[in-house]
Amino acid sequence: MNKIAIYNEILEKIKQYDTIIIHRHIRPDGDCIGSQRGLKEILKASFPEKRIFAVGDEIPNYLAHLGQNDEVKDEDYQNALALIIDTATEDRICDSRYKLAPYSIKIDHHDDSFDYADMNYIDPT
């Protein structure tokens, strides 16, 4: 499948859900937090009617200026889309509650990445 088709498929899934919860890897670095926050902000700007959350473990002090984690309850996952970004393997996802969502999409850039979501998009370029 070409990139445009994959992007459109991801966009269609985003349009289907009123709640989107963005996950990332444990012990986040700058590209992880930046990707998560950037995705959250572009989704909020594109879909202001949706509830968009960013979750994870503690953000290091040197990245705290980029924002803090959102508080999410287990019930919030019932009809949510879980997006997992910058996380090559399932054991590095910072919050396993993404499994509570009815659908999950992984977006990653690691060339040693493994599939673990309902949809997996990996582009190391």
Side-chain angles (χ1 to χ4, degrees), residues 1 8-9 12 22 25-26 37 54-55 99-102 114:
M1 185 179 289
N8 286 332
E9 194 173 338
E12 287 308 310
I22 307 167
H25 64 70
I26 58 173
R37 297 293 177 228
V55 298
K99 294 176 184 179
L100 298 174
F114 294 92

Side-chain angles (χ1 to χ4, degrees), residues 11-23:
L11 179 59
E12 287 308 310
K13 281 295 180 187
I14 288 169
K15 288 178 179 178
Q16 289 177 16
Y17 290 88
D18 293 331
T19 302
I20 299 169
I21 305 171
I22 307 167
H23 292 253

Side-chain angles (χ1 to χ4, degrees), residues 32-125:
C32 181
I33 296 295
S35 298
Q36 184 185 40
R37 297 293 177 228
L39 181 56
K40 178 182 175 182
E41 291 306 315
I42 199 164
L43 288 174
K44 283 175 49 180
S46 300
F47 303 100
E49 72 284 0
K50 294 185 183 292
R51 297 175 33 197
I52 314 287
F53 301 103
V55 298
D57 54 356
E58 189 172 331
I59 296 174
N61 286 337
Y62 78 98
L63 297 172
H65 66 282
L66 296 175
Q68 295 302 310
N69 296 321
D70 296 313
E71 293 292 325
V72 178
K73 298 176 183 160
D74 288 353
E75 305 85 62
D76 293 322
Y77 285 89
Q78 284 182 340
N79 295 307
L81 172 64
L83 299 177
I84 305 106
I85 56 142
D86 191 35
T87 310
T89 59
E90 190 171 19
D91 62 324
R92 293 201 27 89
I93 301 171
C94 61
D95 187 334
S96 64
R97 293 184 301 164
Y98 81 91
K99 294 176 184 179
L100 298 174
Y103 200 84
S104 61
I105 299 174
K106 169 187 170 175
I107 302 171
D108 191 30
H109 67 96
H110 298 96
D111 58 5
D112 61 346
S113 200
F114 294 92
D115 291 351
Y116 52 75
D118 296 304
M119 182 189 307
N120 297 274
Y121 176 63
I122 300 140
D123 185 354
T125 63

